[in-house]
Amino acid sequence: MGIKVRKAAAVVTRYELLLLGLATPLLLFPGAWSPIGLTIIGMTWVSRRLARGRFSPRTALDVPIILVLIMIGVSLIPSVDLDLSLNRACIYILGVALFYGMVNGLHSERRIHLMGVALVLVGSVVALISLVSTDFTIGRIVELPALYDRLPPPLIRGLPGSGVIEAYDLVNPRVVAGALAIILPVPMAYLLLGRGWKLRLASGLTACVMLGVLFLTQSPQGFLGLAAALLLLGCWWSKWILLTIPLGLGALAAIVGNNGVRQGLVASLSAEELDTLAFGMQSRVANGARGLGMIRDMPYTGVGLNTFPVVDGLYSFGRANAEHAHNLLIQTGVDLGIAGVVALVALLAGFGYTVWRIRRTGPQGNQRALLVGICGAVAAWLAYGMLDSITLGHKPAAALWVMLGLSASLRLRLDAPDSRAIPFPSRFSRAWLLAALLPTLALIAFIGFTRDKVFGAFYLNLGVMEAHRALAADSEGDAQDHLHLAEGYMQQALRWDPARARTRTLLEWVLGGDIDTTRWPRETAG
């Protein structure tokens, strides 16, 4: 019986990537069928353990991923809308499954190359689907009727998923720009550095299609991500490209320092009727401030995975129902708390360590092109995240998880063919020290330097969590119960940290007993 079970597990493991392909749409567009996708993922992990005697070989990203999964579980505790949170949690789990699917399913250099080619094809598919499912009227900076009037009408509406505006059935062009900016560096790297005319031709055609759709989005953050990827590709091609960085910074400083430009910027941001660019800048500043306020109130748990629009409406800082904080690091902190930001920084450090180890082996040809494309994708994602937020739990990040898994798989194949003997970064290695120490110091500085402030922030976190539940309660009785709990936690917070003015402000609101959202203190926005 045991032999038959192991043989069955070996068959499942052999077709793991195919099974993940079947599970991907079930979790990428969460719904009633999502448990089936989770079951498929669980089955692949159990089969891998039975067939190979281990769940997965070690990688430099294991510890950060474990921390991310822990914080996903923690973030469900304060959530005031479990449906939104569970939908986003499904995409996080899918991303982790895709990462380890790449690590365990790509057993040869040929398979790695085929997966890189698949990413090129995925880029063209994403571009073509976006062309018929995106509302290109949103955030349009320049009107080009001769171009936009000739676009095909939207054919795909109401894609299921974790969206927060149920009545809106088309894709936001800013999200499309982020997805394209993340995937585009791979075909561009194959075009510039790859070998084989068929691959380069296919990559060039894909890059042209993706660039065309990216232009249609008119997304500044998408263009910024593309610029970062191109800069990295150029630096890999020739170190002389680095000279463009100080030149560009000098030109930017000269433009910003110009008195006329500065006065015009201030005037546009303070005008009653804002143009698209000015409104985008103002909303990003405001939403970022809201996000920082939420992290300050709930640094340990975050406000709840994917509940920024719900909590933002309850806080009523100003314009309610913003979808996210428009910044990658801030949104990660809002969703997963400060520990989630630590995990994100550690994940990037682990990726950097992996790339460094691969470069030591001197990859050539298409492997080198794939590595450059993956690095460009991460650079584009981070640059895009300065003005918008595609976290590791957003749909476009599924491609990013695949690329991270490809980098880890490349290291396993090139740096340590015997994956059981792969050198894992020691707990005292520089990368991990920086990844753990710097965010920890930031957390200490954010909360305070004393034990009293740490415990005060902890109880304030619990108090604000209950206040959110009171505001979201269906009945007056439930709301009052949550307000009483919030009062107790905030009293404890004041005992530990009596000098914290924010706690006193919130406690006064709680003691008022009025759950009208317009009375929610706005001090956090500052």
Side-chain angles (χ1 to χ4, degrees), residues 73 111 159 189 217 232-233 246 272 286 309 350 365 437 453 457 467 471 512:
R111 285 197 174 191
L159 287 173
T217 66
L232 189 141
L233 265 64
E272 293 184 2
L437 184 60
K453 289 186 177 296
L471 290 168

Side-chain angles (χ1 to χ4, degrees), residues 40-55:
I40 292 175
I41 290 175
M43 181 177 64
T44 60
W45 279 77
V46 173
S47 299
R48 199 186 302 146
R49 179 68 173 83
L50 292 174
R52 300 178 182 173
R54 59 180 178 180
F55 289 113

Side-chain angles (χ1 to χ4, degrees), residues 148-162:
Y148 287 99
D149 291 347
R150 287 177 169 78
L151 292 178
L155 301 177
I156 302 176
R157 291 178 175 270
L159 287 173
S162 55

Side-chain angles (χ1 to χ4, degrees), residues 6-165:
R6 285 195 293 272
K7 286 183 177 180
V11 172
V12 172
T13 302
R14 185 183 309 156
Y15 297 101
E16 178 178 2
L17 292 180
L18 177 61
L19 292 172
L20 283 178
L22 296 175
T24 294
L26 304 180
L27 295 173
L28 200 60
F29 303 101
W33 48 81
S34 295
I36 300 176
L38 294 174
T39 302
I40 292 175
I41 290 175
M43 181 177 64
T44 60
W45 279 77
V46 173
S47 299
R48 199 186 302 146
R49 179 68 173 83
L50 292 174
R52 300 178 182 173
R54 59 180 178 180
F55 289 113
S56 178
R58 295 181 297 180
T59 75
L61 281 70
D62 291 341
V63 175
I65 289 175
I66 291 173
L67 182 55
V68 167
L69 292 175
I70 291 173
M71 291 312 301
I72 289 172
V74 171
S75 70
L76 298 179
I77 298 174
S79 175
V80 294
D81 192 327
L82 272 179
D83 288 338
L84 283 177
S85 297
L86 289 174
N87 285 344
R88 187 55 54 84
C90 285
I91 301 178
Y92 266 108
I93 293 172
L94 171 64
V96 173
L98 289 173
F99 173 85
Y100 284 106
M102 299 300 107
V103 172
N104 291 276
L106 304 179
H107 306 299
S108 65
E109 296 179 9
R110 181 175 179 273
R111 285 197 174 191
I112 294 174
H113 172 66
L114 291 177
M115 186 55 62
V117 175
L119 279 175
V120 175
L121 299 178
V122 167
S124 61
V125 171
V126 170
L128 294 175
I129 292 178
S130 300
L131 196 60
V132 295
S133 62
T134 303
D135 187 355
F136 291 106
T137 63
I138 298 178
R140 191 182 296 175
I141 300 172
V142 179
E143 294 293 337
L144 298 172
L147 176 60
Y148 287 99
D149 291 347
R150 287 177 169 78
L151 292 178
L155 301 177
I156 302 176
R157 291 178 175 270
L159 287 173
S162 55
V164 294
I165 304 178

